[in-house]
Each structure stands twice: as structure tokens, then as C-alpha cells.
Amino acid sequence: MSQITVIYGSTTGTTQSAAERIAQKLNARCVDIASAKAEDLQTPVLVLGTSTWGFGDLQDDWMSAEKLLQDADLSGKKTAFFGFGDQSGFGDTFVDAMGILCQTALEKGAVLIGKTSTEGYSYGASRAEIDGEFCGLALDDANQPEMTDARIDAWTEQLLKEIG
Ligand SMILES: Cc1cc2nc3c(=O)[nH]c(=O)nc-3n(C[C@H](O)[C@H](O)[C@H](O)COP(=O)(O)O)c2cc1C
């Protein structure tokens, strides 16, 4: 069984496609948070993905399933995050939902892996920033769709090194 589970929430399918590519690169299971069970969060490594909706809100299925994350034992678990947003249309809440998930996981003792540089993005503010870096991989198919696959490929390579 894979040691890595990718769990995503996606409203129009963008985050789902990325999750499937990420899971394939990591040889991981890929699970929609809408149908996830507590056992799905028990692998040694988790990769959690969400788009941002409203003004800086979690994707709906994640919102409904937040308790699953709250109840999970994440202490010492290597956990990575990715998120879709729109840096031009929602420049002050860019990929905020990724930051919300990350904050919850860190409070529960998760070990953060997969931070990335904010270079190459143009936005005003993001809850997904920690000490000047993104807490995970920020993706933007509204403005930079041509960069998504290359960003995923580089990031999954980075994750494999950090997982060891
Ligand atoms: C009504 C609406 C609200 C949105 N709010 C935000 C936001 O606050 N911050 C952000 O970065 N992106 C925002 N987005 C952009 C979405 O996150 C983006 O379209 C994403 O690719 C959707 O992914 P999904 O299809 O996997 O849910 C919003 C999009 C819509 C249509």
C-alpha cells in the first residue's frame, strides 16, 4: 500500500486534475475529500489540496469535512499542501484556503514539507504565506495555466527528496 495519500477538494475539477497528476508522480493514492474516511489520513505522508472560494474560504467539500482533519492524529506526520487560486481576480485572498488547511494541520502537530518561493506570482496578500514563502504549491489556472504542469513536476521532485 502506498505510504502517501493525496486528498483534494475541487468544485469545478481544476484541483482534481492537479491532484491526479501529483498522485501519479508520487505513486500515491488519490482521494476526494468529499468521500474521504478517517483511515485515508493515516498514511505516513499526506498531501492536501484545495481551491479557494468566496473571499479566502475553503473549498466547500473541505469545509464540510474539516472535522476529519481536526480529529486526525497528525503529530509528526509529513504533510504537504497545494492550492488553486486566482492572483489577479482575488489578489488579496490568493490561495488563502491552502493557508487555512496548513494552519489547522500545523496546530495538530504536522511536519510541514513542500514550501515554495513566492517568486513568479503577483498578488497583494495570502494566508498561505509563512515567513515570506508559500506553505505549499500555489497554482493559478486562471492566469498562469501554462505553468501548472511544470510547477507540479518540480514540486513533486522536491517532495520526494523531502520525504526521503
Ligand atoms: C466565486 C469565486 C470565488 C473565488 N475566490 C477566490 C479567492 O478568494 N482566492 C483565490 O485565490 N481564488 C479564488 N477563486 C478562484 C478559484 O480558486 C479557482 O477558479 C480554482 O481554480 C477553482 O478550482 P476547483 O475547480 O478545483 O474548485 C474564486 C473563484 C470563484 C469563481
Side-chain angles (χ1 to χ4, degrees):
M1 205 179 115
S2 175
Q3 300 292 291
I4 310 173
T5 308
V6 176
I7 305 179
Y8 67 88
S10 183
T11 301
T12 65
T14 317
T15 311
Q16 178 177 3
S17 306
E20 286 164 357
R21 186 178 182 96
I22 289 166
Q24 195 231 327
K25 298 267 168 195
L26 297 176
N27 198 16
R29 277 187 72 222
C30 191
V31 178
D32 187 339
I33 187 61
S35 55
K37 309 221 165 12
E39 306 88 84
D40 295 320
L41 284 81
Q42 286 172 0
T43 46
V45 180
L46 285 179
V47 180
L48 307 181
T50 180
S51 45
T52 299
W53 286 85
F55 284 101
D57 297 333
L58 269 178
Q59 190 272 342
D60 275 354
D61 298 315
W62 267 115
M63 202 129 32
S64 311
E66 247 190 316
K67 193 170 179 311
L68 210 59
L69 196 59
Q70 287 290 354
D71 290 348
D73 177 12
L74 300 180
S75 62
K77 194 184 290 292
K78 287 184 177 174
T79 308
F81 299 87
F82 66 99
F84 272 91
D86 174 349
Q87 62 199 290
S88 164
F90 297 89
D92 287 330
T93 54
F94 181 49
V95 293
D96 270 14
M98 174 165 77
I100 295 171
L101 283 188
C102 179
Q103 192 178 353
T104 304
L106 288 179
E107 281 165 12
K108 296 197 50 65
V111 175
L112 180 60
I113 58 170
K115 288 203 281 180
T116 66
S117 168
T118 59
E119 269 176 46
Y121 302 83
S122 177
Y123 60 95
S126 173
R127 279 181 75 177
E129 258 187 46
I130 298 179
D131 298 333
E133 283 184 296
F134 284 125
C135 64
L137 179 66
L139 297 166
D140 183 347
D141 267 16
N143 304 287
Q144 300 173 325
E146 72 289 351
M147 298 176 87
T148 294
D149 283 354
R151 281 174 168 162
I152 288 174
D153 294 354
W155 188 63
T156 48
E157 287 297 315
Q158 175 189 337
L159 286 186
L160 288 172
K161 287 197 191 109
E162 290 186 45
I163 291 164

